[in-house]
Amino acid sequence: MLPRLIGLLLTLLAASAVVFFVLEVLPGDPASVMLGTGAQADNLAALRHQMGLDQPAWWRYLAWIGHLATGDFGTSYTYSVPVADLIRERALVSVPLALMAITLSTAIAIPVGVAAAAWRGGPRDLGIMGVTQLGVAMPNFWLGILLILLFAVRLAWFPASGFAGWGAGPLPALRSLLLPALALALPQAAILSRVTRSAVLETLDEDYVRTARAKGLGPAAALWRHAVPNALIPVVTILGLQFSFLLAGTVIIENVFTLPGLGRLMLQAIAQRDLIVVQDLVVLLAASVILVNFAVDFVYLALDPRLRHGGAV
Amino acid sequence: MRGLSVAAALFLLPAMAQAKDTLSVGMVLEPPHLDVTAGAAAAIREVTYANLYEGLTRIDEKGEIRPGLAESWTVSEDGKAYTFKLRAGVLFHDGTPFDCDVVKFSYGRAAAADSVNAQKPLFAAIAKTECPDARTAVVMLSQPTASFLFNMGWADASMISPKSAATNKINPVGTGPFKFKNWAKGDRVELVRNPDYWGEKAKLSAVTFRFIADPTAATAAMLAGDVDAFPQFPAPEALDQFKADKRFTVNVGSTAGKIVMALNESRKPFDDVRVRRALAYAIDRKQYIDGILSGFGQPIGSHYMPGDLGYVDLVGAYPYDPAKARALLAEAGIKPGFTMTITTPPPGYARKGGEVIAALLEQVGITVKLAPMEWAQWLDIVFKQYNYDATLIAHVEPRDLGIYARDSYYFNYKNPEYRAIYDKYLAATDPAAQIALLGQLQRKLSDDEANVFISTLPKIGVWNARLRGMWGNLPVPSNDVTAAHWAE
Amino acid sequence: MKPSLVVGGALTALLVGMALLSLVWTPYSPTGIDILHKLAPPSATHLLGSDSLGRDVLSMIMAGARNSIAVSVIAVAVGAGIGVPLGCLAAAKGGMVNEVTMRATDLAFAFPALLTAVMITALAGPGATNAMIAIGIFNIPVFTRVARGAAIVIWQRDFVMAARAVGKTRWAIAVGDVLPNIAAVLLVQMTIQFALGIIADAGLSYVGLGTQPPQPSWGRMLNDAQTYIFRAPLLAVFPGAAITLAVLGLNLLGDGLRDRLDPRLRGR
């Protein structure tokens, strides 16, 4: 466990260094962005000093990492407020969105996948496989546009874009997240149901399931009592991957629906050369990817006691 | 019973609809902070001017000076002493009373050596501010300044409470009819009615400024009613659908903006006047204006706004003529397939406009690469380093012929004749001579086609048709919603 | 032959054929504007209608196929060109080399791919070249892992053991024996990454960071279409359908190839 934790920290450190120095060499000066076309040389120098930009790069890197280690994300160049506040505000959009999407995706995919496995080879299985094949191929942002076309333009049931905010209670906020969550969830559900189907099929072929069947257990009971629980490991692996993908990969969906989430925060921060926000965000997302993978390993242990005794995944 | 409640619902619903007293205003750019006395960004003014902060004077929709926190004033005969009678009973949002000491503090802070005021030179004329009593402020100038009252109506001259001066960036405190409530960074700023306002209270109980840079998203937000008004709508190419829709008002006002394709004249072949003229012949201003501005721009033939003092109509100097353009290019030794890069900042007139310009230049054998840049990069690479071929840009400063006479400016137009005329213009005192020289300047620019002059930049606002009291023109950057309200 | 191979092959051939055809012929110039006839519905003159500047949508989709393929093929080439040698090296050398390579791929996987590609293109300057590089970078660890995993299995096989016993060098074995035997797995991975590349390129173009106008791209067409979604909804349908069919074709082709080339994976 300890070596893994150290590895995790080293990975994060390496990631932070990569991000910092890549940003350092690219053009664009945060101070001149803030002052605009009318910037005077002395104003600019004063602001650069105020922002600490007149320090050498290595010093700023160390200062940044040092502060991160104590939980201080620094102050946004653009807004002069703590970066942590900015990220928290945006996470209130992105995290619920990712959670909604993953819930929808799981709720759709597992029954569909299990059903397809139960109907193996039949016309219904083929139909499901055809639809999921299409779902895998569909870019989620196009699906988002189609959902807008149908539910916002034609039927006017949902807003075409924007986020109502949590201030007015949870319902308006959830309403404005529903279409984007669906757009994210459906392609993921297509992948997940294919994985579920093949995992269930594989366990159905295992000896213990055959034995259970031979002992007179009905096909449905064999499926739900033996095959499905044992098929969950690959499903959880994919879920873990999908969660990181959803948390970080919503940037395009946030643009389609104009949601003030983490992805758009990053695009805005890049546009304004608010580099500290970009650095913090990338490191934070990298950390969340690593931690989710870490967590998935624990779920394996819970799902499969055999792995607790030194078995490999 | 059921019948009754249905009737009640039917009765109540329209009543609720009528009672709308909040407003959601769309803006393209988000302010970096909210201290209007410490930054040049127009977005700061667009949220706060007149709504949140007020100065001694204010500028109205027509660009005229009105009393603000000073109810009246007198000017001494030598034009050097301004005596302002201050309003009584004015309180800042944090409860601090407004009096002459505040005037002294605000002007002193703006003129101080460490001032970060974007219009610091405006305050250079102020020698000192005296307070004979709390409701009288005497501002002494070192020299007469004709535009002083107008200048003090700029947002940069807003009255700032000494108590909140340091924190106005994130928690702005002014004397205006609206006060600050919340700022969800990257998304919106919310203001609410100031119940203790000294003058007529705002009709709206709350105003939200939402920041939507993307033209697509702006269109969607307007159409869906998420935003009630977009005073500077970022997708002029998509206006047709609003014009056709009775729910919306489309307002076309003027700005001082001139859209030009600026050419880097320190780079070959743009130093060759034949090439610049060829580009001018190759660009069909009508297609650009119809396609990109939904027909709402006026073609220009020089760097000057139609209607400004001394305007000369030079639009016909380079009519759309691809054949002539090709001939000129051949004469200058430019072979078909010549490739140039056009740098485009974010606004639609540049991003989307670049596609039109590229298609038009393709017709005369020029291959165009479009290089989109965020403002940050544009300022750095184009404006500061002069590292570009051509860029589409709107110059929004009024009557800025002077930029072509500068020693160093990003398009590197260095013409001694032009500069000589400009020096003569600066020295001229006789209005007739000034007008004649202004004409000469415009002709010289057009003759040299220093940049390719394309169109005026219209200020296109779109808002809900029931909304009243929005400004149609923008003499100063602002979204003054103090008089905005909903029609019955 | 499996239906997936047939359908996938046909769709892919259609995609590639359309892209190649666009090099010599499109109904109209894909960049030619015609403001007077903007937002025209599909008709005999414009089979798929015209866009907001009067450009022919069919011509743009054809030229867009070309640009999309160019980005994803080069991204795959970047990924495979660097990733496969690295993976083979890790498998052949083992030890520290293997360890370092694997930790480096771990590091790469910690960066959320799409978000980082967005960051790279936004910062380095939007455009097709940077999109190729950004997508290519994330193909590298994928190919490294796949090549290494497949190669390690081959290194354990009897014929490799035999080759080592007779004194064939590691290098000669890696190139002469191992690489040909993992080619099938790599080919399948290439079609998968090709498909993912098309989606990623479309996504980057949608947010304005991929292929730049005047060159048409599917993602940008979708973005433009969204502005006119109330007036010309079909504009948002055609480019998305093109992306979906292209990706569907490549995925099916990949499945079909896997079944055909690697019997052990059949039925998964």
Side-chain angles (χ1 to χ4, degrees):
Chain A
M1 197 88 299
L2 192 64
R4 272 213 69 176
L5 264 175
I6 293 172
L8 195 152
L9 283 175
L10 284 177
T11 310
L12 275 179
L13 207 62
S16 69
V18 170
V19 173
F20 184 89
F21 289 100
V22 163
L23 293 186
E24 201 56 35
V25 295
L26 292 166
D29 171 22
S32 45
V33 178
M34 290 178 69
L35 290 175
T37 41
Q40 321 263 324
D42 57 338
N43 270 1
L44 204 60
L47 189 63
R48 288 180 60 85
H49 178 72
Q50 200 185 323
M51 290 161 77
L53 289 172
D54 48 353
Q55 308 277 350
W58 61 269
W59 174 254
R60 279 181 287 128
Y61 174 71
L62 288 183
W64 173 52
I65 285 299
H67 283 120
L68 269 190
T70 61
D72 174 6
F73 282 73
T75 305
S76 154
Y77 296 155
T78 324
Y79 297 121
S80 334
V81 296
V83 178
D85 291 355
L86 284 181
I87 293 181
R88 193 177 311 119
E89 234 166 59
R90 299 311 187 92
L92 282 175
V93 178
S94 289
V95 174
L97 177 60
L99 285 174
M100 263 173 96
I102 202 109
T103 313
L104 278 170
S105 148
T106 318
I108 297 167
I110 291 186
V112 169
V114 172
W119 295 324
R120 164 161 42 170
R124 284 176 291 193
D125 179 26
L126 280 178
I128 291 175
M129 285 298 98
V131 170
T132 55
Q133 193 65 264
L134 201 64
V136 173
M138 218 179 214
N140 55 24
F141 61 95
W142 184 48
L143 187 61
I145 296 175
L146 292 183
L147 290 174
I148 292 179
L149 204 55
L150 179 63
F151 290 107
V153 177
R154 284 267 173 277
L155 301 172
W157 288 354
F158 288 93
S161 69
F163 181 62
W166 295 100
L171 271 180
L174 292 177
R175 211 170 93 93
S176 44
L177 290 181
L178 189 61
L179 287 188
L182 258 181
L184 281 169
L186 291 179
Q188 299 297 316
I191 297 172
L192 199 60
S193 52
R194 294 180 75 85
V195 172
T196 309
R197 174 182 175 273
S198 59
V200 171
L201 283 183
E202 210 155 290
T203 49
L204 278 178
D205 285 340
E206 298 272 347
D207 291 341
Y208 58 89
V209 180
R210 292 178 183 215
T211 316
R213 288 280 283 136
K215 280 185 182 162
L217 198 67
L223 187 73
W224 287 107
R225 221 177 287 164
H226 293 284
V228 173
N230 284 297
L232 280 180
I233 286 196
V235 172
V236 167
T237 313
I238 299 292
L239 266 178
L241 288 174
Q242 290 193 342
F243 189 72
S244 341
F245 170 83
L246 286 174
L247 197 57
T250 55
V251 52
I252 292 169
I253 282 292
E254 285 172 13
N255 267 284
V256 173
F257 291 92
T258 333
L259 297 174
L262 292 172
R264 272 170 58 88
L265 174 65
M266 182 151 110
L267 277 183
Q268 285 168 352
I270 289 173
Q272 295 157 333
R273 289 296 183 273
D274 197 349
L275 299 184
I276 188 153
V277 174
V278 181
Q279 293 162 14
D280 285 345
L281 262 179
V282 175
V283 168
L284 200 69
L285 288 169
S288 75
V289 171
I290 295 171
L291 285 174
V292 167
N293 289 343
F294 207 58
V296 165
D297 287 356
F298 277 104
V299 177
Y300 285 157
L301 293 182
L303 283 177
D304 191 344
R306 281 171 301 173
L307 294 176
R308 273 178 218 161
H309 307 290
V313 179
Chain B
M1 196 57 207
R2 173 179 287 178
L4 189 65
S5 63
V6 169
L10 284 176
F11 177 72
L12 279 174
L13 273 175
M16 279 162 66
Q18 267 178 13
K20 174 159 181 160
D21 65 347
T22 61
L23 176 65
S24 164
V25 178
M27 285 172 52
V28 175
L29 293 178
E30 178 176 24
H33 58 77
L34 293 171
D35 184 350
V36 79
T37 63
I44 306 175
R45 292 125 216 277
E46 285 165 11
V47 171
T48 61
Y49 183 71
N51 301 330
L52 201 146
Y53 296 115
E54 296 172 305
L56 292 189
T57 61
R58 58 168 296 178
I59 298 164
D60 72 4
E61 185 185 349
K62 298 189 185 71
E64 279 160 18
I65 305 163
R66 293 282 189 82
L69 290 176
E71 55 185 50
S72 63
W73 52 80
T74 53
V75 188
S76 68
E77 280 194 8
D78 63 358
K80 283 164 77 170
Y82 284 75
T83 306
F84 292 97
K85 183 102 184 85
L86 307 180
R87 285 188 201 275
V90 176
L91 292 179
F92 280 93
H93 302 149
D94 63 357
T96 315
F98 165 74
D99 57 20
C100 180
D101 287 337
V102 172
V103 179
K104 199 169 176 174
F105 169 79
S106 299
Y107 288 169
R109 177 169 168 266
D114 63 349
S115 157
V116 286
N117 196 298
Q119 303 298 337
K120 197 171 159 184
L122 292 188
F123 302 91
I126 300 177
K128 61 175 190 258
T129 306
E130 283 170 355
C131 294
D133 64 74
R135 284 191 52 206
T136 310
V138 182
V139 181
M140 313 290 291
L141 304 185
S142 48
Q143 66 205 49
T145 308
S147 55
F148 182 70
L149 286 170
F150 189 82
N151 293 350
M152 293 305 109
W154 285 40
D156 309 83
S158 294
M159 288 298 121
I160 299 299
S161 157
K163 248 171 70 186
S164 65
T167 52
N168 276 341
K169 282 188 176 176
I170 42 176
N171 185 20
V173 170
T175 57
F178 291 97
K179 55 184 187 179
F180 176 76
K181 182 180 165 212
N182 176 43
W183 181 3
K185 308 287 182 311
D187 188 38
R188 61 183 73 196
V189 167
E190 294 168 82
L191 305 182
V192 290
R193 186 195 288 142
N194 172 10
D196 307 319
Y197 187 56
W198 55 265
E200 193 185 336
K201 311 266 188 292
K203 295 193 177 75
L204 298 168
S205 66
V207 182
T208 303
F209 292 92
R210 291 194 50 197
F211 313 115
I212 307 175
D214 183 53
T216 302
T219 311
M222 263 323 291
L223 287 169
D226 296 345
V227 167
D228 300 315
F230 230 117
Q232 295 184 75
F233 190 65
E237 74 275 12
L239 275 178
D240 300 4
Q241 56 196 5
F242 292 105
K243 279 195 285 185
D245 194 328
K246 289 217 162 22
R247 290 180 296 154
F248 301 104
T249 301
V250 174
N251 179 287
V252 181
S254 57
T255 67
K258 295 152 290 273
I259 301 171
V260 303
M261 181 164 81
L263 301 167
N264 186 350
E265 272 140 77
S266 61
R267 263 195 198 174
K268 280 185 188 320
F270 308 108
D271 56 338
D272 186 335
V273 68
R274 289 170 301 187
V275 174
R276 300 200 296 267
R277 286 178 182 160
L279 294 175
Y281 281 119
I283 289 171
D284 182 1
R285 293 170 179 75
K286 184 168 172 14
Q287 284 217 45
Y288 177 91
I289 292 170
D290 287 350
I292 300 304
L293 305 173
S294 289
F296 289 123
Q298 266 179 281
I300 53 171
S302 188
H303 197 95
Y304 213 59
M305 286 298 285
D308 273 356
L309 180 74
Y311 171 74
V312 187
D313 186 349
L314 297 163
V315 175
Y318 303 96
Y320 178 52
D321 189 344
K324 204 159 183 177
R326 273 190 293 265
L328 274 169
L329 286 172
E331 202 186 309
I334 303 289
K335 306 219 160 37
F338 166 72
T339 303
M340 66 185 275
T341 304
I342 302 180
T343 306
T344 57
Y349 67 74
R351 280 284 158 85
K352 201 88 172 111
E355 295 183 44
V356 172
I357 301 289
L360 290 168
L361 293 184
E362 199 182 278
Q363 300 294 313
V364 299
I366 297 177
T367 306
V368 172
K369 279 193 190 151
L370 294 174
M373 283 186 186
E374 296 298 338
W375 281 118
Q377 282 166 296
W378 189 91
L379 287 171
D380 196 17
I381 294 170
V382 177
F383 198 73
K384 216 156 94 187
Q385 300 178 25
Y386 310 168
N387 180 13
Y388 74 106
D389 288 347
T391 184
L392 277 168
I393 183 75
H395 278 262
V396 295
E397 295 77 12
R399 299 177 57 183
D400 52 351
L401 285 165
I403 57 176
Y404 291 85
R406 291 197 190 170
D407 288 333
S408 175
Y409 203 58
Y410 75 102
F411 39 69
N412 288 311
Y413 173 73
K414 287 182 181 141
N415 188 304
E417 288 171 50
Y418 182 86
R419 198 165 297 185
I421 310 172
Y422 191 73
D423 288 342
K424 259 199 259 171
Y425 162 71
L426 285 185
T429 45
D430 170 37
Q434 278 183 350
I435 287 173
L437 286 162
L438 281 170
Q440 280 186 38
L441 288 169
Q442 293 168 60
R443 283 204 181 83
K444 180 70 186 145
L445 285 185
S446 163
D447 190 42
D448 276 347
E449 196 66 4
N451 289 319
V452 181
F453 304 108
I454 302 175
S455 167
T456 60
L457 174 71
K459 172 206 167 296
I460 299 170
V462 178
W463 49 79
N464 190 305
R466 291 195 303 118
L467 186 61
R468 302 283 180 270
M470 296 295 289
W471 280 21
N473 287 308
L474 280 189
V476 287
S478 63
N479 284 317
D480 182 337
V481 292
T482 53
H485 60 278
W486 292 94
E488 295 297 301
Chain C
M1 222 194 262
K2 290 270 286 190
S4 64
L5 200 59
V6 176
V7 178
L11 281 173
T12 309
L14 181 72
L15 170 75
V16 175
M18 196 162 77
L20 289 177
L21 180 62
S22 80
L23 289 171
V24 289
W25 179 83
T26 47
Y28 295 83
S29 159
T31 56
I33 59 170
D34 179 6
I35 306 286
L36 275 181
H37 300 104
K38 66 177 180 181
L39 301 175
S43 68
T45 40
H46 291 287
L47 282 180
L48 300 183
S50 71
D51 82 344
S52 62
L53 295 177
R55 292 172 293 203
D56 180 55
V57 172
L58 177 60
S59 306
M60 290 175 81
I61 285 187
M62 290 174 68
R66 179 176 79 208
N67 292 326
S68 188
I69 289 179
V71 170
S72 15
V73 163
I74 293 180
V76 167
V78 168
I82 300 174
V84 171
L86 274 178
C88 287
L89 187 76
K93 286 269 189 187
M96 267 309 280
V97 175
N98 180 41
E99 190 60 25
V100 169
T101 315
M102 285 303 98
R103 291 294 78 79
T105 59
D106 280 348
L107 179 62
F109 280 123
F111 288 100
L114 189 59
L115 196 77
T116 316
V118 164
M119 184 184 85
I120 292 173
T121 43
L123 284 165
T129 317
N130 287 336
M132 288 169 192
I133 296 171
I135 301 171
I137 287 176
F138 286 95
N139 283 336
I140 296 173
V142 174
F143 281 103
T144 308
R145 288 256 174 115
V146 169
R148 174 184 164 274
I152 281 180
V153 175
I154 305 291
W155 277 100
Q156 311 297 328
R157 300 271 278 276
D158 293 341
F159 69 95
V160 174
M161 299 290 190
R164 292 183 73 172
V166 299
K168 216 169 162 183
T169 63
R170 272 170 183 271
W171 178 242
I173 296 172
V175 175
D177 299 309
V178 176
L179 202 55
N181 277 292
I182 63 171
V185 179
L186 292 177
L187 188 66
V188 171
Q189 195 63 43
M190 280 180 191
T191 54
I192 295 172
Q193 296 309 117
F194 189 1
L196 289 175
I198 286 186
I199 293 192
D201 171 58
L204 287 177
S205 312
Y206 177 83
V207 287
L209 299 172
T211 304
Q212 287 305 315
Q215 281 302 317
S217 70
W218 292 343
R220 174 154 284 277
M221 288 173 76
L222 278 179
N223 187 313
D224 276 357
Q226 221 185 328
T227 315
Y228 301 95
I229 199 160
F230 286 82
R231 270 190 70 190
L234 281 178
L235 276 182
V237 174
F238 298 126
I243 300 168
T244 306
L245 288 178
V247 174
L248 180 67
L250 285 164
N251 281 345
L252 288 174
L253 184 69
D255 283 359
L257 281 178
R258 176 162 46 204
D259 288 352
R260 207 179 161 79
L261 297 173
D262 193 348
R264 283 165 306 143
L265 292 173
R266 201 162 276 172
R268 285 226 179 162

